[in-house]
């Protein structure tokens, strides 16, 4: 079995492949395109989202991870859709021509791609959700979400107003979750027509800023959530949440709240192990004392640090889309740093080694069995 | 008057066209040429026009040594056989 990692960066994607998960071959593809997300469909075709401040958003596909072809369509809002002024303020530094002054709503980045039940989904900023039922040849907005009654009250996070997390229920095509920074976590039970916020039990003193959520689609009621304000678990599909931070490093946020801050989360579905990469609070955003550490929970509640093979004196970060599991046995887990290094473990997080280095800032990591 | 015009693509857009560095469009203005290109090559069209149907504001074209900005595309006429060099506005250091 070959494992392929698609590592998205602002300058293209590194495709890292290995037959033994020890030695890795590397190719750099989609050169010149910021690659923000990728996903594989049920036929093994990989879709990679790109964006460019000059040339907009698009999706490339590949069957062999070498030759990439751009799809003729991409998620796009309607010309009459109105944008969020605060989001415009955040992203306007790249709006050289002033198009945002018109007040429209634009797809300026695809944050996540997701495939389930024969459909492709895209979570984008300005926050919204799109679906393609013809493998990316055309895209439709999911208006039940994009025109949510609470939309006017959505507040952008530090990186803008982005829908960055999509989860689906393997047993129920009508149930789905979406995470938005900083509007919170939403669930639909009717195929996307209506959406309810699912943040009960998550500290919301400063608003809801979900950073990532992971789960097993076959056991979809159990969710693990890395929030700006700590790590949480839900056993009822997101209806209620409990803090689970035993063993995690807890730090002080800028407002004094103490919790375990971080961005990515990933699950090895065979073992049920979940992984997070804590950072020292929202003011610092680097590993505690410079020791890069992955924390793992095996029982879904208690965490232990895994540092073997990971560097100390390390003051980088791991972004929300930059960790993935390969779902092999034993589980392989991979993450990329904001300073361009990729680390991998082939023993479910017990030990780590550097898979690649010298890459640009890493924005997304996905692992595929080939 | 509609005329065939050659358009040189910037390197990053050549990946959209399978490595092709130059494409042919038709039109009497730069705006018409780009609209024609978008119709012929929808994947390329995504990069030329935004959701509102406006040319992406950071695209500029060189025509006979003159730098033409996106807001001028609709009015700027091109002659038959013209060659446009498409690039993006300078940004950054």
């Amino acid at each position: 079995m070959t494992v392929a990692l698609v590592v998205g960066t602002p300058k293209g994607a590194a495709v890292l492949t290995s037959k033994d998960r020890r030695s890795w071959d590397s190719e750099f593809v989609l050169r010149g395109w910021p690659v923000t997300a990728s996903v594989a469909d049920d036929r093994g075709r990989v879709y990679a989202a790109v964006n460019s401040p000059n040339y907009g958003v698009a999706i490339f596909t590949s069957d062999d991870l070498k030759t990439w072809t751009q799809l003729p369509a991409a998620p796009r809002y309607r010309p009459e859709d109105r944008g969020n002024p605060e989001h415009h303020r955040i992203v306007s530094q790249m709006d050289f021509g002033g198009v945002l002054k018109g007040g429209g709503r634009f797809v300026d980045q695809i944050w996540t791609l997701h495939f389930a039940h024969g459909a492709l989904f895209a979570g984008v900023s300005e926050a919204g959700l799109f679906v393609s039922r013809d493998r990316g040849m055309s895209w439709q907005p999911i208006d039940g979400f994009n025109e949510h009654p609470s939309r006017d009250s959505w507040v952008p996070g530090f990186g803008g107003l982005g829908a960055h997390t999509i989860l689906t229920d393997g047993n129920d095509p009508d149930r789905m979750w979406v995470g938005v920074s900083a509007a919170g976590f939403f669930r639909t039970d009717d195929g996307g027509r209506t959406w309810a916020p699912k943040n009960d039990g998550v500290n919301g003193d400063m608003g809801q800023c979900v950073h990532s959520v992971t789960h097993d689609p076959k056991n979809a009621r159990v969710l693990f959530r890395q929030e700006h304000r700590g790590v949480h678990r839900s056993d009822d599909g997101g209806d209620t949440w409990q803090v689970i931070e035993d063993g995690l490093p807890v730090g002080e946020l800028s407002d004094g709240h103490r919790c375990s801050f971080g961005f990515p989360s990933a699950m090895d579905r065979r073992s049920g192990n979940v992984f997070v990469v804590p950072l020292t609070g929202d003011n610092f955003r680097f590993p505690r004392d410079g020791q890069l550490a992955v924390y793992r929970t095996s029982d879904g509640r208690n965490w232990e640090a895994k540092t073997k093979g990971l560097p100390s004196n390390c003051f980088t970060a791991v972004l929300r889309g930059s960790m993935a599991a390969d779902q092999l046995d034993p589980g392989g887990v991979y993450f990329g740093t904001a300073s361009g290094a990729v680390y991998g473990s082939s023993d479910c997080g017990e030990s780590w080694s550097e898979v690649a280095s010298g890459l640009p800032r890493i924005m997304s990591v996905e692992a595929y069995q080939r | 008057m509609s005329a065939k015009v050659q358009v040189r693509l910037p390197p990053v857009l050549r990946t959209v066209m399978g490595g092709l560095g130059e494409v042919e469009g038709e039109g009497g203005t730069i705006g018409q040429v780009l609209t024609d290109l978008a119709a012929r090559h929808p994947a390329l069209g995504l990069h030329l026009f935004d959701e509102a149907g406006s040319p992406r504001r950071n695209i500029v074209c060189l025509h006979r040594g003159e730098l033409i900005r996106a807001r001028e595309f609709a009015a700027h006429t091109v002659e038959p056989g013209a060659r446009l060099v498409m690039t993006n506005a300078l940004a950054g250091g």
Side-chain angles (χ1 to χ4, degrees), chain A residues 31-33 53-58 60 68 70-79 94 96-99 105-107, chain B residues 10 12-13 15-16 42-54 56-59 86-92:
Chain A
R31 297 179 182 198
W33 292 102
N54 294 317
Y55 303 114
V57 163
F60 283 79
W68 295 82
Q70 191 199 302
L71 294 173
R76 287 188 146 196
Y77 286 113
R78 293 171 288 247
M94 300 305 288
F96 307 124
V99 67
R105 191 188 306 169
F106 298 92
V107 176
Chain B
V12 73
L13 288 185
T15 58
V16 181
L44 181 63
L46 287 178
H47 303 295
L48 304 183
F49 295 94
D50 65 22
E51 281 101 321
S54 303
R56 293 196 182 277
R57 302 301 178 93
N58 298 338
I59 296 178
M86 184 187 296
T87 182
N88 46 268
L90 294 179

Side-chain angles (χ1 to χ4, degrees), chain A residues 86-151:
Chain A
E86 278 301 298
H87 177 75
H88 285 181
R89 184 182 59 76
I90 291 167
V91 301
S92 62
Q93 62 177 337
M94 300 305 288
D95 181 32
F96 307 124
V99 67
L100 295 175
K101 290 176 184 168
R105 191 188 306 169
F106 298 92
V107 176
D108 50 58
Q109 181 168 316
I110 297 174
W111 278 85
T112 186
L113 291 169
H114 185 86
F115 183 85
H117 306 297
L120 270 171
F121 297 91
V124 308
S125 65
E126 182 175 327
L129 188 60
F130 291 79
V131 62
S132 171
R133 301 193 187 282
D134 54 9
R135 298 185 188 265
M137 298 303 286
S138 66
W139 291 86
Q140 293 77 44
I142 297 182
D143 286 331
F145 183 77
N146 297 353
E147 309 307 327
H148 194 272
S150 68
R151 185 177 185 98

